[in-house]
Amino acid sequence: MSLHIESVGQGPDLVLLHGWGLNGCVWQGLVPRLSGSFRLHLVDLPGFGHSPLGALPDYQLDRLVQSLLPALPAHFHLLGWSMGGLLATRLALLQPQRLHSLVTVASAPRFVADGAWPGIAPAVLQAFNEQLQTDAAKTIGRFLAIQAMGSEHVKEDVRQLRQLLVQRPLPDALALAGGLRLLAEVDLRGQLAAIRVPWLRCYGRLDSLVPHAQMAEVARLAPHSQQALVAGAAHAPFISHPEAFIQRLLAFLDEH
């Protein structure tokens, strides 16, 4: 399978995985600040942007992670946002020897609310899945709006996300459906204690998709990890509050 990866900059390798509905362009705002210190690899996940879906119609988590590995550097720092953070977490479990560090942004080991576990209401994901059958573009647009909901800069955040989305082809419908299925079904909570690479978890204080109430729960499950909270940010802190996000990211990467 041909995976589209835009590589830019000089220094240690830093691989970035985007979230559901988007593509590697979502990281463009970080490139000027990070490319002087790192060799950035902006990945289009299979079925998103310029990467074809290939032989992954079911979008099963481990097969998806395994499909990425041949195209990535031998050793690298790994940053994943939202659904990309789910993939990054699983990659850290499967191939820890290849990672210098792991950073997850507005991501969760389980995205759906479950008992006392805070998360997305199952009915919300079901509604997205139903709408996806009739109007994929509208579904993505609605999801972008929810990602920015609560942010101090809602309209500007949505505008930026929309602009980044349309720079590359819209996602494959099967990839969109498969991604929603990952968000609805995957549960890595019982595996987090096995992650031993340095790990920073970054959250937006106003995120409605991955509530910051998860922070304490994940800290209990992964006591070796670090965490950071960006005040005023929702689901995309690197879009709404790039300076605060980059400062915390660089401080962590400089340690490792």
Side-chain angles (χ1 to χ4, degrees), residues 209-246:
L209 294 174
V210 180
H212 75 280
Q214 278 194 18
M215 293 178 69
E217 294 297 320
V218 181
R220 179 179 60 82
L221 296 169
H224 296 93
S225 64
Q226 301 178 37
Q227 59 187 20
L229 184 65
V230 181
H235 194 62
F238 56 93
I239 294 288
S240 62
H241 296 74
E243 288 303 318
F245 175 79
I246 289 171

Short mmCIF file of all heavy atoms in Angstrom, two decimals, residues 209-246:
data_model
loop_
_atom_site.label_atom_id
_atom_site.label_comp_id
_atom_site.label_asym_id
_atom_site.label_seq_id
_atom_site.Cartn_x
_atom_site.Cartn_y
_atom_site.Cartn_z
N LEU A 209 -15.37 16.20 23.30
CA LEU A 209 -15.21 14.85 22.76
C LEU A 209 -14.35 13.97 23.67
O LEU A 209 -14.65 12.78 23.87
CB LEU A 209 -14.61 14.90 21.36
CG LEU A 209 -15.48 15.54 20.29
CD1 LEU A 209 -14.71 15.68 18.98
CD2 LEU A 209 -16.76 14.74 20.06
N VAL A 210 -13.29 14.53 24.19
CA VAL A 210 -12.44 13.83 25.17
C VAL A 210 -12.38 14.72 26.41
O VAL A 210 -11.48 15.55 26.55
CB VAL A 210 -11.02 13.57 24.61
CG1 VAL A 210 -10.15 12.85 25.65
CG2 VAL A 210 -11.08 12.74 23.34
N PRO A 211 -13.34 14.58 27.30
CA PRO A 211 -13.43 15.46 28.47
C PRO A 211 -12.17 15.39 29.34
O PRO A 211 -11.59 14.31 29.52
CB PRO A 211 -14.65 14.92 29.24
CG PRO A 211 -15.43 14.15 28.23
CD PRO A 211 -14.43 13.58 27.28
N HIS A 212 -11.77 16.55 29.85
CA HIS A 212 -10.55 16.54 30.67
C HIS A 212 -10.73 15.75 31.96
O HIS A 212 -9.75 15.45 32.64
CB HIS A 212 -10.10 17.97 30.96
CG HIS A 212 -10.92 18.69 32.00
ND1 HIS A 212 -12.14 19.27 31.70
CD2 HIS A 212 -10.72 18.88 33.33
CE1 HIS A 212 -12.64 19.80 32.80
NE2 HIS A 212 -11.80 19.59 33.79
N ALA A 213 -11.97 15.38 32.27
CA ALA A 213 -12.20 14.51 33.43
C ALA A 213 -11.52 13.16 33.26
O ALA A 213 -11.30 12.43 34.24
CB ALA A 213 -13.70 14.32 33.64
N GLN A 214 -11.18 12.80 32.03
CA GLN A 214 -10.45 11.55 31.80
C GLN A 214 -9.03 11.59 32.35
O GLN A 214 -8.42 10.53 32.58
CB GLN A 214 -10.37 11.24 30.29
CG GLN A 214 -11.60 10.59 29.70
CD GLN A 214 -11.30 10.02 28.32
OE1 GLN A 214 -10.15 9.81 27.94
NE2 GLN A 214 -12.34 9.77 27.55
N MET A 215 -8.49 12.78 32.55
CA MET A 215 -7.08 12.89 32.92
C MET A 215 -6.75 12.07 34.15
O MET A 215 -5.77 11.31 34.17
CB MET A 215 -6.71 14.36 33.14
CG MET A 215 -6.74 15.20 31.89
SD MET A 215 -6.36 16.95 32.20
CE MET A 215 -4.62 16.86 32.63
N ALA A 216 -7.54 12.22 35.20
CA ALA A 216 -7.26 11.50 36.44
C ALA A 216 -7.40 10.00 36.25
O ALA A 216 -6.62 9.21 36.81
CB ALA A 216 -8.19 11.99 37.55
N GLU A 217 -8.38 9.58 35.45
CA GLU A 217 -8.59 8.15 35.22
C GLU A 217 -7.42 7.54 34.47
O GLU A 217 -6.93 6.45 34.80
CB GLU A 217 -9.89 7.94 34.43
CG GLU A 217 -11.15 8.32 35.19
CD GLU A 217 -11.34 7.46 36.43
OE1 GLU A 217 -11.08 6.24 36.36
OE2 GLU A 217 -11.73 8.01 37.47
N VAL A 218 -6.95 8.24 33.42
CA VAL A 218 -5.83 7.70 32.65
C VAL A 218 -4.54 7.75 33.46
O VAL A 218 -3.69 6.85 33.35
CB VAL A 218 -5.68 8.44 31.31
CG1 VAL A 218 -4.53 7.87 30.50
CG2 VAL A 218 -6.96 8.36 30.49
N ALA A 219 -4.38 8.77 34.28
CA ALA A 219 -3.19 8.84 35.14
C ALA A 219 -3.13 7.64 36.08
O ALA A 219 -2.05 7.12 36.37
CB ALA A 219 -3.21 10.14 35.93
N ARG A 220 -4.29 7.20 36.53
CA ARG A 220 -4.33 6.02 37.40
C ARG A 220 -3.96 4.75 36.62
O ARG A 220 -3.26 3.88 37.13
CB ARG A 220 -5.74 5.89 37.99
CG ARG A 220 -5.93 4.68 38.90
CD ARG A 220 -7.34 4.64 39.46
NE ARG A 220 -8.33 4.56 38.40
CZ ARG A 220 -8.68 3.43 37.79
NH1 ARG A 220 -8.09 2.28 38.11
NH2 ARG A 220 -9.61 3.43 36.86
N LEU A 221 -4.42 4.68 35.36
CA LEU A 221 -4.14 3.51 34.53
C LEU A 221 -2.71 3.51 33.98
O LEU A 221 -2.16 2.45 33.68
CB LEU A 221 -5.14 3.45 33.36
CG LEU A 221 -6.61 3.26 33.75
CD1 LEU A 221 -7.51 3.49 32.53
CD2 LEU A 221 -6.83 1.87 34.33
N ALA A 222 -2.15 4.71 33.80
CA ALA A 222 -0.80 4.84 33.22
C ALA A 222 0.03 5.77 34.10
O ALA A 222 0.34 6.91 33.73
CB ALA A 222 -0.89 5.40 31.80
N PRO A 223 0.43 5.30 35.29
CA PRO A 223 1.11 6.17 36.25
C PRO A 223 2.47 6.67 35.78
O PRO A 223 2.99 7.64 36.34
CB PRO A 223 1.23 5.29 37.50
CG PRO A 223 1.14 3.88 37.00
CD PRO A 223 0.22 3.94 35.82
N HIS A 224 3.04 6.05 34.76
CA HIS A 224 4.35 6.50 34.26
C HIS A 224 4.23 7.65 33.26
O HIS A 224 5.25 8.21 32.85
CB HIS A 224 5.08 5.33 33.59
CG HIS A 224 5.41 4.21 34.52
ND1 HIS A 224 4.58 3.13 34.70
CD2 HIS A 224 6.47 4.02 35.36
CE1 HIS A 224 5.12 2.31 35.59
NE2 HIS A 224 6.26 2.82 36.01
N SER A 225 3.02 8.00 32.87
CA SER A 225 2.83 9.06 31.87
C SER A 225 2.79 10.44 32.51
O SER A 225 2.59 10.58 33.72
CB SER A 225 1.54 8.82 31.09
OG SER A 225 0.40 8.91 31.94
N GLN A 226 3.00 11.45 31.66
CA GLN A 226 2.83 12.85 32.07
C GLN A 226 1.57 13.40 31.41
O GLN A 226 1.07 12.84 30.43
CB GLN A 226 4.03 13.68 31.62
CG GLN A 226 5.37 13.22 32.15
CD GLN A 226 6.51 14.08 31.63
OE1 GLN A 226 6.38 15.29 31.47
NE2 GLN A 226 7.65 13.45 31.36
N GLN A 227 1.05 14.49 31.94
CA GLN A 227 -0.14 15.08 31.35
C GLN A 227 -0.05 16.60 31.35
O GLN A 227 0.65 17.19 32.16
CB GLN A 227 -1.39 14.62 32.08
CG GLN A 227 -1.45 14.96 33.55
CD GLN A 227 -2.64 14.31 34.25
OE1 GLN A 227 -3.22 13.35 33.76
NE2 GLN A 227 -3.02 14.85 35.39
N ALA A 228 -0.78 17.21 30.40
CA ALA A 228 -0.81 18.66 30.28
C ALA A 228 -2.21 19.08 29.88
O ALA A 228 -2.88 18.37 29.10
CB ALA A 228 0.21 19.14 29.25
N LEU A 229 -2.67 20.20 30.40
CA LEU A 229 -4.00 20.72 30.10
C LEU A 229 -3.87 22.12 29.54
O LEU A 229 -3.24 22.99 30.15
CB LEU A 229 -4.85 20.75 31.38
CG LEU A 229 -6.31 21.18 31.24
CD1 LEU A 229 -7.09 20.19 30.39
CD2 LEU A 229 -6.95 21.32 32.62
N VAL A 230 -4.43 22.35 28.33
CA VAL A 230 -4.38 23.67 27.70
C VAL A 230 -5.68 24.40 28.01
O VAL A 230 -6.75 24.03 27.50
CB VAL A 230 -4.17 23.55 26.19
CG1 VAL A 230 -4.11 24.94 25.56
CG2 VAL A 230 -2.89 22.78 25.88
N ALA A 231 -5.61 25.40 28.85
CA ALA A 231 -6.80 26.16 29.23
C ALA A 231 -7.32 26.93 28.02
O ALA A 231 -6.56 27.45 27.21
CB ALA A 231 -6.46 27.13 30.36
N GLY A 232 -8.64 26.97 27.88
CA GLY A 232 -9.25 27.71 26.77
C GLY A 232 -9.35 26.93 25.48
O GLY A 232 -9.97 27.39 24.53
N ALA A 233 -8.73 25.75 25.43
CA ALA A 233 -8.72 24.94 24.20
C ALA A 233 -9.80 23.88 24.26
O ALA A 233 -10.18 23.41 25.33
CB ALA A 233 -7.36 24.30 23.99
N ALA A 234 -10.26 23.47 23.07
CA ALA A 234 -11.21 22.37 22.97
C ALA A 234 -10.47 21.14 22.43
O ALA A 234 -9.44 20.75 22.97
CB ALA A 234 -12.39 22.77 22.09
N HIS A 235 -10.96 20.56 21.32
CA HIS A 235 -10.42 19.29 20.86
C HIS A 235 -9.15 19.43 20.01
O HIS A 235 -8.49 18.43 19.73
CB HIS A 235 -11.50 18.56 20.04
CG HIS A 235 -11.20 17.12 19.79
ND1 HIS A 235 -11.07 16.18 20.80
CD2 HIS A 235 -11.01 16.43 18.63
CE1 HIS A 235 -10.82 15.00 20.28
NE2 HIS A 235 -10.76 15.11 18.97
N ALA A 236 -8.81 20.64 19.59
CA ALA A 236 -7.62 20.83 18.75
C ALA A 236 -6.74 21.94 19.33
O ALA A 236 -6.63 23.02 18.75
CB ALA A 236 -8.03 21.17 17.31
N PRO A 237 -6.09 21.69 20.46
CA PRO A 237 -5.29 22.76 21.10
C PRO A 237 -4.14 23.26 20.25
O PRO A 237 -3.73 24.41 20.38
CB PRO A 237 -4.78 22.07 22.39
CG PRO A 237 -4.92 20.61 22.15
CD PRO A 237 -6.09 20.45 21.24
N PHE A 238 -3.62 22.43 19.34
CA PHE A 238 -2.51 22.88 18.48
C PHE A 238 -3.00 23.84 17.41
O PHE A 238 -2.20 24.54 16.79
CB PHE A 238 -1.82 21.68 17.83
CG PHE A 238 -2.74 20.79 17.04
CD1 PHE A 238 -2.91 20.98 15.69
CD2 PHE A 238 -3.45 19.78 17.67
CE1 PHE A 238 -3.76 20.17 14.96
CE2 PHE A 238 -4.31 18.95 16.95
CZ PHE A 238 -4.47 19.15 15.59
N ILE A 239 -4.33 23.89 17.18
CA ILE A 239 -4.93 24.86 16.26
C ILE A 239 -5.31 26.13 17.00
O ILE A 239 -5.01 27.25 16.56
CB ILE A 239 -6.18 24.27 15.58
CG1 ILE A 239 -5.81 23.11 14.66
CG2 ILE A 239 -6.95 25.34 14.80
CD1 ILE A 239 -5.10 23.49 13.39
N SER A 240 -5.98 25.99 18.13
CA SER A 240 -6.52 27.16 18.85
C SER A 240 -5.49 27.86 19.71
O SER A 240 -5.53 29.09 19.88
CB SER A 240 -7.71 26.73 19.72
OG SER A 240 -7.30 25.79 20.71
N HIS A 241 -4.54 27.11 20.27
CA HIS A 241 -3.54 27.67 21.18
C HIS A 241 -2.16 27.11 20.84
O HIS A 241 -1.55 26.40 21.64
CB HIS A 241 -3.90 27.35 22.64
CG HIS A 241 -5.17 27.96 23.10
ND1 HIS A 241 -6.41 27.50 22.70
CD2 HIS A 241 -5.41 29.02 23.93
CE1 HIS A 241 -7.35 28.24 23.27
NE2 HIS A 241 -6.77 29.16 24.00
N PRO A 242 -1.67 27.42 19.63
CA PRO A 242 -0.42 26.79 19.17
C PRO A 242 0.79 27.10 20.05
O PRO A 242 1.64 26.22 20.25
CB PRO A 242 -0.24 27.35 17.75
CG PRO A 242 -1.07 28.60 17.72
CD PRO A 242 -2.23 28.34 18.62
N GLU A 243 0.90 28.31 20.58
CA GLU A 243 2.09 28.65 21.36
C GLU A 243 2.15 27.85 22.65
O GLU A 243 3.20 27.29 23.00
CB GLU A 243 2.11 30.16 21.66
CG GLU A 243 2.42 31.01 20.46
CD GLU A 243 3.75 30.64 19.81
OE1 GLU A 243 4.73 30.39 20.56
OE2 GLU A 243 3.82 30.57 18.57
N ALA A 244 1.02 27.79 23.37
CA ALA A 244 1.00 27.02 24.62
C ALA A 244 1.26 25.54 24.34
O ALA A 244 1.99 24.88 25.09
CB ALA A 244 -0.35 27.21 25.32
N PHE A 245 0.68 25.06 23.26
CA PHE A 245 0.86 23.65 22.92
C PHE A 245 2.31 23.36 22.56
O PHE A 245 2.91 22.38 23.05
CB PHE A 245 -0.06 23.26 21.76
CG PHE A 245 0.16 21.87 21.26
CD1 PHE A 245 -0.38 20.79 21.94
CD2 PHE A 245 0.93 21.63 20.12
CE1 PHE A 245 -0.16 19.48 21.49
CE2 PHE A 245 1.15 20.33 19.67
CZ PHE A 245 0.60 19.26 20.36
N ILE A 246 2.91 24.18 21.70
CA ILE A 246 4.28 23.94 21.24
C ILE A 246 5.27 24.04 22.39
O ILE A 246 6.21 23.24 22.49
CB ILE A 246 4.64 24.93 20.11
CG1 ILE A 246 3.87 24.57 18.83
CG2 ILE A 246 6.14 24.92 19.85
CD1 ILE A 246 4.00 25.59 17.73
#
